[in-house]
Amino acid sequence: MEASAAPKTFEQILQKIEEIVNDENSKNLFDMIKECDVKATAILKQQLGNVLTGLEKLDTESSSKKASMRFFSKGSSSQIPLNTLKMKAIEDLERIARKAEYLNGTREALVGIAEEGLELVGRKKEKEDIIDQLTSVSRSRDGARRVPVIIIAGLAGIGKTKLASHVCQDREVQNHVGFPTRVICTNYNTFDADSIAKRVIDDTTNSTNRIIILDDWRLEIGDQHVKALQDKLKKAGLCLTAIIITARSCLVPRNIAASPVKLNALPALNEIESVSLFKKTLGQDKADDSSKPMLAKCYGVPQAIMTMAKWQHSPPPRSQFTELTEELIYSYYYDEVLTHLWFTYCSLFPRRYEFDAERLIHLWMAEGFLSSSNLSPEVIGRGYLRNLVERSIFQDVTEDKFGEVKSCKMHPLMHDIARFLADRENINVDLNGDKVHQHVLRASFDLSLGFDEGIPAPLNKAKQLTSILFLRADPHLDLPLKLKMSAKVLKDIFMNFKKLKVLDLRKLNIEEVPSSIEELKDLKYLDLSENVMKELPSSITKLTKLETLKLYDCKNLKKLPKDFKNLAQLKHLDLEGCLGFTDREMSKISALQTLSTFVKPRGTRNAQ
C-alpha cells in the first residue's frame, strides 16, 4: 500500500496528532501549542514530527473507538494497549506544551538578551582600520569633500552593528569626523533619501558634522543616493561626513564610484576571543571547561556565543525545555530565508561541502523549488543563490568572469540550523537507518560508511522519497576503499522509490544500469558521472520528465541509446570527458539549453 501524503506544516502535523490521540482531556495541551509564534513553531515542529512518527508506526485500524481494539506495532507481535499508547503521546505533548510556554513567555526573562553596552571583543584591528578609514578622508582636486562609504559586512550576528557603534563612540572620530545617526533598514525595495535625511535632521546631536549608519542594509546604493543625502543635509545646514553601512552582503555599495569605498568583511572570532566573549557576557573571570565543546558549536559567531552563555548559565527550569541548537535557531529565525526549502535542501550535504553552483541550481529545479510564471527556473535559482551569498550564509565564494557564483560553502552554523529545520523531511542516513520514517522525502548517504553494498532496509518504507544522493564529504578526495554499486542495488532503488525526482549516483564504479530505471517516471535529475558502464539501457529514453543528465568523464561509454532524442524535456547534458559523440547527435534534442564540452576521437570532423 502506498503511504499517504505527509503532513508538512506545523498545523498539519498537530492536527493529525490531535485526530489520532482524540482525547478531550488533552485539548488544553493542543491549545497551548497552537499559540506558538513563528520562531517556536520552527523548533517544536521537529518534536511534534517525532510524536506523529511514533503514532504512525501503529496498525491503521488502531484509530477505532471500540474499547476492545488494540494498537499493534509494525514488525512486532506484541500488543500495546490503547491507553498506554495514548499516555505516552500525551506525556510527549505535555513536554512540548511546556516548551511552547517557555519560548512564548518566560525565555527572555530566564535567558535574557545580549548586552548592548558589552565591551567589544576580538575586533581591535577592525576598529582601528575603520577609524583610520574615516579620519583619513581625501579630497577631490577641486577641494570638495568626498563622502567616504565604509561597509562592514558579514553573517547575521557576527557583530557588525556593535562594531559600527564602538567606532562612532571613539573620541577621535567624534572630534574629526562627526556624530552618528543610526537608520535601520525597513524598506527593502526603495532607497528613501527623504526619510533617511529627516531622521538625521531630527537627531538633536549638537554637531553639524554627521555620520549616517545604515544598519542591516539590503539595498544596493549608488552615487545618486550618496549625493541626494549630501544635498538634503546641506540644505538643513548639516554636513554629511561619512556613511557607514552594516550589511550581510559586500555588494551593497558596488554601484558607488565617486566616493571612496572601504570594505571590511568580519571574520569569525578565534577560540581565545570566543572564550573571552563568553566570560565577559557572564561577568565571570573564567569559563568552565565544560563550556568549550559548546563554544565550538558557535563557530566564532558573537551572537551565538552570547546566546550560548546566557542559555547555559540561566537558572532552572531552562534546561528542561531547550537544547543549545534550539536556542540558536530561536535567535536566528528572524531571517525569512531560513523558511525556504531551497535553504533546508542544503542540509543533505556534509558540513563545509563545496557546492557547485550549477549543480545545486539543477537540484533545486528538479525538486520544483524554482517555479515561476515569468522567469526561467535557472534565473530564479541564480537569484536564490545570490540571496544566500549576500546574507553570508554561503561563503568562500568563487565567481566566473561574468560575476556569477561558481562555487561556495555554507557557513557551518547555518548548516547546523538547516539540518535541524529539515530533520523530519531531509535525513542523512546511517548504516542502521535509525532516523528513517515513512514520510522522509529526501535522503543522502555518506559513502565512507559503505552503502555500496546496499541501503538500510528501514529506508524501504519511505516510499515518498524524491531525492537520493550518494556523497563524499570531500568530492576531490578518493575514498580508501574501492566502491562498486551493483546492478542489484540499483534495481532495488529503481523499484522501491518510484517517486524519485533526483538521483545522484556519481563515482560508484557502476558497470551496468538496469533497464528498470524506466520505473522512475518522475525523475528530473540523474547523475551517472565518473562511472564505468559502456552503454545506457534503451529504457532510459522513457524518462520523459528528465531535465538534467550528467555523464561527466564516463570514458567507457561508447554510445547513447538510439532514441535518445525522445528525452524531450532534457535541458542540461554533461558529456565532458566522454568519447565519440558529435554535435549533430545532440542537436536532435529539442529542449537542450546547455551542453558541456567533450572530447572527440582523433580524425573526426566537426558537424556541419
Side-chain angles (χ1 to χ4, degrees):
M1 179 183 297
E2 187 174 292
S4 58
K8 295 182 179 180
T9 68
F10 176 87
E11 292 78 11
Q12 289 172 342
I13 294 172
L14 188 59
Q15 180 181 355
K16 186 66 176 177
I17 294 173
E18 194 168 6
E19 290 173 358
I20 296 174
V21 172
N22 192 26
D23 181 41
E24 187 65 27
N25 294 328
S26 301
K27 186 177 183 302
N28 65 315
L29 297 178
F30 289 101
D31 290 342
M32 289 173 64
I33 298 172
K34 289 175 183 177
E35 293 177 358
C36 291
D37 62 18
V38 64
K39 293 183 179 182
T41 59
I43 295 172
L44 300 183
K45 180 181 176 183
Q46 311 309 319
Q47 282 79 42
L48 287 174
N50 293 334
V51 173
L52 181 57
T53 297
L55 292 173
E56 286 176 336
K57 292 178 180 179
L58 308 175
D59 187 84
T60 55
E61 295 182 359
S62 63
S63 60
S64 171
K65 295 183 179 180
K66 296 181 180 180
S68 60
M69 186 63 68
R70 294 180 180 273
F71 284 145
F72 292 85
S73 178
K74 289 183 177 180
S76 172
S77 60
S78 62
Q79 295 181 338
I80 307 175
L82 173 61
N83 288 339
T84 301
L85 294 166
K86 276 191 175 182
M87 187 178 299
K88 173 64 169 63
I90 291 171
E91 287 176 355
D92 292 338
L93 289 170
E94 287 175 344
R95 283 192 291 269
I96 293 172
R98 288 198 300 270
K99 183 177 290 189
E101 185 178 31
Y102 162 77
L103 292 173
N104 287 331
T106 58
R107 176 187 179 274
E108 185 170 325
L110 289 172
V111 177
I113 57 176
E115 299 290 341
E116 280 295 327
L118 191 67
E119 180 182 341
L120 193 66
V121 175
R123 301 298 185 203
K124 181 179 179 181
K125 182 181 184 303
E126 288 86 352
K127 180 181 177 180
E128 291 175 349
D129 288 345
I130 296 172
I131 291 174
D132 181 64
Q133 292 164 11
L134 286 170
T135 55
S136 59
V137 178
S138 62
R139 294 179 179 269
S140 61
R141 292 181 180 178
D142 59 5
R145 186 182 184 88
R146 296 191 299 166
V147 178
V149 178
I150 312 297
I151 177 115
I152 304 174
L155 182 74
I158 202 68
K160 304 181 292 293
T161 300
K162 186 177 289 294
L163 176 58
S165 176
H166 278 257
V167 164
C168 291
Q169 291 171 12
D170 183 83
R171 187 66 58 85
E172 184 180 5
V173 170
Q174 292 180 352
N175 289 339
H176 294 91
V177 185
F179 285 77
T181 298
R182 179 185 173 201
V183 181
I184 301 174
C185 184
T186 56
N187 186 341
Y188 300 143
N189 299 312
T190 306
F191 187 93
D192 189 350
D194 289 330
S195 176
I196 297 171
K198 186 177 185 303
R199 287 284 306 276
V200 178
I201 294 168
D202 290 345
D203 194 330
T204 58
T205 300
N206 187 25
S207 173
T208 58
N209 292 333
R210 300 298 181 86
I211 301 171
I212 298 179
I213 301 176
L214 299 178
D215 197 21
D216 193 24
W217 213 253
R218 313 281 179 91
L219 294 168
E220 290 188 7
I221 297 176
D223 290 324
Q224 72 276 20
H225 301 129
V226 176
K227 189 175 187 307
L229 290 174
Q230 197 172 12
D231 291 344
K232 291 179 185 301
L233 293 190
K234 185 176 181 179
K235 288 180 180 180
L238 301 176
C239 177
L240 178 60
T241 55
I243 297 175
I244 298 178
I245 303 172
T246 70
R248 300 176 205 180
S249 170
C250 298
L251 303 177
V252 168
R254 65 178 175 179
N255 292 322
I256 296 177
S259 297
V261 176
K262 301 293 184 179
L263 172 63
N264 302 270
L266 296 190
L269 301 182
N270 60 33
E271 182 179 357
I272 294 175
E273 294 164 345
S274 296
V275 172
S276 176
L277 177 59
F278 177 84
K279 292 190 294 185
K280 290 180 183 298
T281 302
L282 296 175
Q284 296 180 355
D285 294 332
K286 61 180 181 179
D288 190 331
D289 288 340
S290 64
S291 303
K292 292 185 178 180
M294 291 191 187
L295 274 174
K297 293 183 179 181
C298 298
Y299 302 102
V301 177
Q303 180 175 318
I305 294 169
M306 290 186 286
T307 297
M308 187 273 280
K310 293 289 188 178
W311 172 83
Q312 185 178 4
H313 289 270
S314 61
R318 175 270 307 157
S319 59
Q320 300 176 19
F321 297 134
T322 56
E323 300 295 333
L324 174 59
T325 302
E326 295 172 335
E327 290 288 347
L328 294 177
I329 289 171
Y330 199 86
S331 297
Y332 273 93
Y333 202 73
Y334 58 82
D335 195 321
E336 69 279 3
V337 165
L338 306 188
T339 67
H340 292 289
L341 291 173
W342 41 269
F343 168 75
T344 54
Y345 192 84
C346 300
S347 67
L348 290 168
F349 295 82
R351 188 181 291 115
R352 303 185 189 280
Y353 185 87
E354 184 176 6
F355 289 94
D356 176 86
E358 182 181 68
R359 179 191 183 202
L360 183 58
I361 290 171
H362 290 168
L363 290 169
W364 286 343
M365 185 171 69
E367 278 281 2
F369 301 155
L370 309 180
S371 59
S372 171
S373 58
N374 299 321
L375 300 174
S376 71
E378 291 83 359
V379 171
I380 297 171
R382 282 286 171 191
Y384 289 166
L385 191 62
R386 178 60 66 182
N387 200 333
L388 293 171
V389 170
E390 289 177 352
R391 283 170 160 75
S392 295
I393 292 173
F394 275 166
Q395 301 182 335
D396 298 332
V397 178
T398 63
E399 296 181 337
D400 61 21
K401 61 182 179 180
F402 302 108
E404 294 288 354
V405 177
K406 186 176 180 181
S407 67
C408 52
K409 294 180 181 179
M410 178 173 261
H411 190 283
L413 178 58
M414 294 293 103
H415 184 271
D416 288 355
I417 291 174
R419 280 204 169 173
F420 181 90
L421 294 175
D423 186 59
R424 179 167 168 79
E425 296 181 351
N426 301 351
I427 63 170
N428 309 99
V429 183
D430 58 29
L431 284 172
N432 298 320
D434 290 337
K435 297 174 65 177
V436 175
H437 56 85
Q438 66 175 338
H439 291 315
V440 170
L441 295 180
R442 304 169 193 95
S444 64
F445 301 80
D446 181 351
L447 288 175
S448 65
L449 298 180
F451 289 109
D452 53 310
E453 295 299 324
I455 59 177
L459 194 64
N460 289 328
K461 62 187 174 184
K463 300 299 184 183
Q464 305 297 316
L465 274 182
T466 59
S467 281
I468 289 182
L469 307 171
F470 289 91
L471 302 169
R472 290 168 169 78
D474 185 345
H476 301 297
L477 295 178
D478 286 328
L479 297 174
L481 298 177
K482 190 77 169 177
L483 295 173
K484 183 176 180 180
M485 183 70 74
S486 69
K488 180 182 180 302
V489 174
L490 290 175
K491 186 176 180 180
D492 287 343
I493 292 175
F494 300 160
M495 299 305 293
N496 282 313
F497 308 112
K498 296 183 179 182
K499 291 186 177 295
L500 281 177
K501 296 178 181 179
V502 170
L503 184 56
D504 190 326
L505 299 168
R506 64 166 57 191
K507 209 169 186 178
L508 295 176
N509 283 292
I510 295 173
E511 296 178 350
E512 177 188 356
V513 179
S515 60
S516 55
I517 195 172
E518 67 181 351
E519 297 293 331
L520 304 181
K521 305 296 185 185
D522 294 325
L523 196 66
K524 294 185 176 183
Y525 179 102
L526 176 61
D527 193 342
L528 291 166
S529 298
E530 299 180 84
N531 284 303
V532 294
M533 64 275 181
K534 296 180 179 179
E535 62 181 7
L536 298 175
S538 59
S539 61
I540 201 172
T541 62
K542 296 182 180 180
L543 302 180
T544 57
K545 295 183 180 180
L546 193 65
E547 296 176 342
T548 301
L549 177 59
K550 293 184 176 291
L551 298 168
Y552 167 79
D553 211 23
C554 291
K555 293 184 173 65
N556 294 344
L557 189 63
K558 303 302 182 184
K559 62 180 181 179
L560 296 175
K562 179 181 178 182
D563 294 326
F564 197 70
K565 63 181 182 296
N566 290 349
L567 295 175
Q569 300 299 316
L570 190 63
K571 297 179 179 179
H572 307 286
L573 178 60
D574 187 351
L575 291 170
E576 186 175 350
C578 296
L579 303 174
F581 302 113
T582 67
D583 294 319
R584 181 174 296 172
E585 290 178 87
M586 300 307 109
S587 66
K588 297 177 183 179
I589 306 173
S590 58
L592 200 62
Q593 296 177 5
T594 61
L595 174 63
S596 64
T597 57
F598 53 89
V599 179
K600 300 176 185 177
R602 290 183 180 179
T604 60
R605 297 164 57 183
N606 290 333
Q608 301 298 316

